[in-house]
Amino acid sequence: MSGRSMNVARKISVVAATIISLACGTNYVYSAWGPQFATRLNLSSTQSNIVGVAGNLGMYASGIPVGLLVDSKGPRPGVLMGSVMLGVGYFWLYRAYNDGADAVAMSWLCFAAFLTGAGGCSAFSGSIKTSALNFPYHRGTATAFPLSAFGLSAFFFSSISTFAFPDNTSSFLLLLAIGTFCMIFVSSFFLRVIPHSTAYYPTAPGERGRITSCNPLQHRKSRDGKRNPGSLSPEPGTQPVASDQSSPYPDDDAKDATPIQVHDTQNEDTNESSSLISKSSTSSPENVDNDAGKGGNVAHDSPHLDIRGLALLPRIEFWQLFVLLGLLTGIGLMTINNIGNDAQALWSHHDSNATPVAYGFLFGVYPSLVAETFGVHGLSQNWGWMTLAPVISGNIFNLIYGSVYDDHSTIKPDGSRDCPDGLRCYDMAYWVTFGASLAGVVISLWSIRFHHVANVKARRKLLDDENRGS
């Protein structure tokens, strides 16, 4: 396959990942059908929030096992599994709504909601990993498309429902069941990881001129027992594509890169699975390995950077990102899941858009932050670790809201609930989120300061090493 054809294939893959992601964020449309669903099944506000929390639990708690699957088997198995879980979960909820109150146990409703969340997580992980691998030097742009689609998923499906069958919750749930399955299943066949050239290894523009020798770097084990980050053996799920040897650049992404001819001068018997990585003349393979395992003195765009699994836990950068994500997503999830209750309490449908927009910004940058901080090769499972934070905070904030709202609600003779207190129905819950927002600002400022100081120390150490070497 020629370099131009490979680049076209990568772009088609990003389009497929975007369509898949558009079907993965449907958990955020819960507030559009949740209140009607609760009314028909005679669920309290707390019970309704538990169903919503089950969906969020599926989305975030399944991140680690799904990430391990995607990192080990490639994106397509996770995407196909996600399509099935989304279709089954929403169809189950559709049947429960049609059957009415007391037809389905609360535990089965939660399980169905959990499937929708886990399915969205599984398919989304595959789409993000594919985009990040296909465009390693334009990672932020490549992942921005599926991330944006993920955030627009609720708007996309609710808009279709509004125009096609307004005020028909049953048809809306059926649309979610059929639409999510078909969009993901069909797009999965266009989702491919296209390998980059094996004859040349492109370095980032900032690395030009600093590579003075080339040696093979053999596979080693990192601290978490995984393959050494220095390895460039094909990612699981990579398509076997024969590159065009007439051009040193297999795609447009590498046009600005420096081609480095890689050859083995020490061991002529190196097999195809051996890693062929350029390294600085001042670094030995052992030093590169140690730095990669520890995350020290290895550039964030370096192929050696690969920190994953339990190796994340001792690192302060992990806890900065984890706590900040937990606080801010908890606020967003509480607001998104309960917009319908807010509207009913105020008898108004004019909702503030500030929180959903901020939530979109947050999720728009976080996968890139995780990839830049810990490496792209373990992105799926590292993102899975990060998404445990919303599981904790989402549960806490949603249950706080449900408890506050139920305390101000009255039960009507038909079993439905009504809160006549207006803003007081839920204002205490938002005072809690206000405090969490302030804590998030403090952590953000501390993180910025922490990384600034670390970068200054790293630059000073580099200058000292160069002065001693000269």
Side-chain angles (χ1 to χ4, degrees):
M1 183 183 291
S2 67
R4 185 175 298 275
S5 298
M6 293 173 72
N7 197 43
V8 170
R10 289 190 184 97
K11 292 177 180 177
I12 291 175
S13 186
V14 168
V15 173
T18 302
I19 296 174
I20 289 171
S21 298
L22 191 61
C24 292
T26 52
N27 268 42
Y28 303 131
V29 80
Y30 178 71
S31 60
W33 59 269
Q36 299 91 322
F37 189 85
T39 299
R40 182 168 175 81
L41 274 66
N42 291 335
L43 303 179
S44 68
S45 179
T46 299
Q47 288 176 317
S48 178
N49 268 283
I50 290 175
V51 174
V53 165
N56 294 331
L57 188 67
M59 169 65 74
Y60 300 119
S62 60
I64 293 177
V66 164
L68 290 171
L69 172 67
V70 172
D71 285 341
S72 61
K73 301 298 182 182
R76 189 167 293 170
V79 169
L80 291 174
M81 184 174 69
S83 68
V84 173
M85 288 193 289
L86 277 165
V88 171
Y90 277 119
F91 187 76
W92 210 332
L93 292 171
Y94 159 76
R95 290 293 303 271
Y97 182 85
N98 287 344
D99 292 341
D102 301 325
V104 180
M106 183 69 183
S107 58
W108 287 110
L109 295 178
C110 292
F111 180 67
F114 179 89
L115 285 180
T116 64
C121 174
S122 184
F124 183 63
S125 294
S127 67
I128 287 293
K129 181 68 178 288
T130 302
S131 300
L133 287 173
N134 279 336
F135 295 92
Y137 297 117
H138 298 80
R139 193 179 300 144
T141 303
T143 58
F145 290 101
L147 283 166
S148 299
F150 182 83
L152 291 172
S153 180
F155 173 77
F156 174 75
F157 281 99
S158 61
S159 296
I160 293 177
S161 176
T162 299
F163 287 105
F165 24 80
D167 301 324
N168 190 332
T169 303
S170 176
S171 297
F172 186 27
L173 289 171
L174 185 61
L175 168 69
L176 290 171
I178 297 175
T180 54
F181 172 79
C182 292
M183 289 172 64
I184 297 174
F185 183 79
V186 173
S187 298
S188 67
F189 295 101
F190 300 92
L191 192 73
R192 299 191 298 166
V193 177
I194 309 298
H196 290 265
S197 171
T198 56
Y200 291 84
Y201 187 77
T203 59
E207 297 290 324
R208 290 179 181 171
R210 301 200 322 207
I211 308 287
T212 58
S213 68
C214 303
N215 289 309
L217 185 65
Q218 301 295 331
H219 288 194
R220 291 178 173 84
K221 294 288 185 178
S222 60
R223 289 187 301 172
D224 62 351
K226 300 296 181 182
R227 181 171 290 174
N228 183 277
S231 170
L232 273 190
S233 57
E235 275 284 334
T238 301
Q239 299 295 309
V241 179
S243 61
D244 184 2
Q245 299 299 326
S246 63
S247 170
Y249 302 109
D251 55 51
D252 292 341
D253 291 342
K255 285 181 179 178
D256 295 330
T258 302
I260 300 175
Q261 185 69 41
V262 180
H263 58 277
D264 189 355
T265 60
Q266 298 178 349
N267 185 1
E268 298 296 335
D269 295 328
T270 303
N271 59 35
E272 291 182 359
S273 65
S274 297
S275 177
L276 302 177
I277 299 286
S278 301
K279 67 182 182 65
S280 170
S281 60
T282 61
S283 299
S284 66
E286 290 78 6
N287 289 338
V288 173
D289 275 352
N290 291 336
D291 284 344
K294 298 175 183 177
N297 297 329
V298 178
H300 287 306
D301 60 353
S302 168
H304 299 289
L305 183 63
D306 189 3
I307 306 166
R308 64 175 79 180
L310 296 177
L312 296 172
L313 299 182
R315 303 188 62 85
I316 192 171
E317 296 94 335
F318 168 76
W319 292 108
Q320 288 173 337
L321 293 172
F322 185 88
V323 174
L324 184 61
L325 184 67
L327 286 174
L328 300 185
T329 53
I331 299 168
L333 289 172
M334 190 196 81
T335 302
I336 292 169
N337 287 346
N338 292 285
I339 283 291
N341 289 328
D342 293 352
Q344 287 182 352
L346 297 176
W347 297 96
S348 169
H349 291 277
H350 300 286
D351 302 317
S352 171
N353 290 322
T355 299
V357 169
Y359 193 78
F361 275 122
L362 179 72
F363 265 87
V365 300
Y366 241 77
S368 292
L369 288 176
V370 174
E372 291 297 319
T373 305
F374 306 116
V376 70
H377 301 290
L379 172 60
S380 295
Q381 58 181 291
N382 288 347
W383 181 242
W385 279 91
M386 285 294 167
T387 55
L388 288 177
V391 174
I392 301 171
S393 61
N395 285 342
I396 293 173
F397 285 116
N398 274 292
L399 292 177
I400 288 174
Y401 184 99
S403 177
V404 171
Y405 197 93
D406 285 344
D407 285 345
H408 292 83
S409 299
T410 57
I411 302 178
K412 295 181 178 180
D414 60 357
S416 62
R417 290 176 175 263
D418 177 55
C419 183
D421 296 340
L423 187 63
R424 289 182 56 82
C425 291
Y426 57 82
D427 63 343
M428 186 55 65
Y430 282 97
W431 279 110
V432 174
T433 62
F434 177 71
S437 300
L438 294 180
V441 171
V442 172
I443 294 174
S444 298
L445 295 176
W446 171 56
S447 299
I448 293 171
R449 175 64 180 171
F450 175 86
H451 287 284
H452 173 72
V453 171
N455 289 334
V456 169
K457 290 181 178 179
R459 284 195 296 268
R460 289 176 179 172
K461 184 178 185 300
L462 180 61
L463 291 175
D464 291 343
D465 291 343
E466 290 178 351
N467 291 335
R468 283 195 297 267
S470 60

